[in-house]
Amino acid sequence: MKRNSETILTEWLVINCQMGNEQALEQLMSIWYPKLKGYAHKFIFDKSAIDDVVQDTLMDASKTIRRLNDPSAFPKWLYQMLQNKCVNAIRVQSKHNKIQQAVNEQNTELAENLDKDEEPVSLDISGLDAESQQLLYLHYFEEFSIPDISQILKVPEGTLKSRLFNIRKKLKRTLTGERND
């Protein structure tokens, strides 16, 4: 990176941040926020996801800036942090899309296999949050046990059982047309 007034200002602000100056931190973040947002926009196309990734990056940077040994390395360090957050966001979105696609394919397959005399039952789980869809997919479509899912998702078994119970209850209300009074 070229050494110019912005680079020198960034280094000075980093040093002041490391000494605990909150105003320097705010100024540093206001300088780098638009740059990070522009960079994240090249990889992620969902505006709310971009905001989340940039905000997470800046929060992590503010918490760990004291560990940065070389203030001139700040831009590289910050962009590396942002890059990792972008990759994680893309992975999560990709996983969500794969789960949704698998569920849609399963619904299509089930509908095709029903006899013409039977009334087709369509279970739309698109209204469920991503975690619920993921849990349903792993448990019912991939047929993982609760202990296996617990290890995969790093969530306690009891929590998974409770979530599964609540999801089933919600889906049953949806199928039977009950209200959520």
Side-chain angles (χ1 to χ4, degrees):
M1 193 169 220
K2 291 182 182 178
R3 203 125 162 93
N4 57 29
S5 59
E6 184 178 316
T7 306
I8 294 169
L9 175 62
T10 297
E11 291 174 15
W12 183 79
L13 289 171
V14 168
I15 291 168
N16 281 293
C17 290
Q18 290 175 330
M19 294 188 311
N21 185 335
E22 289 181 24
Q23 290 175 334
L25 180 64
E26 288 177 25
Q27 190 175 359
L28 187 64
M29 297 303 152
S30 68
I31 290 170
W32 284 92
Y33 179 80
K35 294 179 182 190
L36 297 178
K37 196 168 179 178
Y39 183 77
H41 184 67
K42 296 186 184 324
F43 303 103
I44 303 172
F45 304 108
D46 178 21
K47 289 182 181 182
S48 65
I50 291 170
D51 290 338
D52 290 345
V53 165
V54 172
Q55 185 177 5
D56 288 348
T57 301
L58 292 175
M59 286 182 65
D60 287 354
S62 69
K63 291 176 185 174
T64 58
I65 197 165
R66 289 178 190 244
R67 290 189 242 154
L68 183 64
N69 294 328
D70 181 11
S72 66
F74 178 79
K76 183 177 83 168
W77 175 73
L78 193 60
Y79 275 107
Q80 285 174 335
M81 199 179 302
L82 177 64
Q83 179 68 31
N84 291 337
K85 301 273 184 200
C86 285
V87 168
N88 288 341
I90 291 167
R91 271 192 205 125
V92 167
Q93 185 60 43
S94 175
K95 188 184 297 183
H96 179 269
N97 290 344
K98 285 179 184 175
I99 291 170
Q100 186 62 46
Q101 181 181 359
V103 167
N104 290 342
E105 288 172 3
Q106 192 72 23
N107 280 344
T108 303
E109 187 178 312
L110 286 172
E112 290 172 356
N113 291 335
L114 287 174
D115 291 335
K116 292 181 181 179
D117 296 337
E118 295 180 20
E119 185 178 322
V121 176
S122 177
L123 186 58
D124 182 18
I125 65 168
S126 63
L128 296 175
D129 60 286
E131 288 178 353
S132 298
Q133 290 180 17
Q134 187 177 24
L135 179 57
L136 286 174
Y137 180 79
L138 290 173
H139 189 65
Y140 290 107
F141 297 114
E142 293 297 329
E143 298 179 351
F144 281 108
S145 67
I146 295 294
D148 291 339
I149 298 172
S150 175
Q151 288 179 339
I152 293 169
L153 301 179
K154 294 181 175 65
V155 174
E157 289 181 35
T159 303
L160 290 176
K161 289 177 184 177
S162 174
R163 286 181 186 168
L164 204 49
F165 175 80
N166 289 328
I167 293 167
R168 286 184 194 127
K169 199 162 72 172
K170 183 176 182 180
L171 292 174
K172 181 179 177 185
R173 281 194 306 260
T174 302
L175 280 174
T176 59
E178 292 179 25
R179 303 175 110 219
N180 294 339
D181 297 332

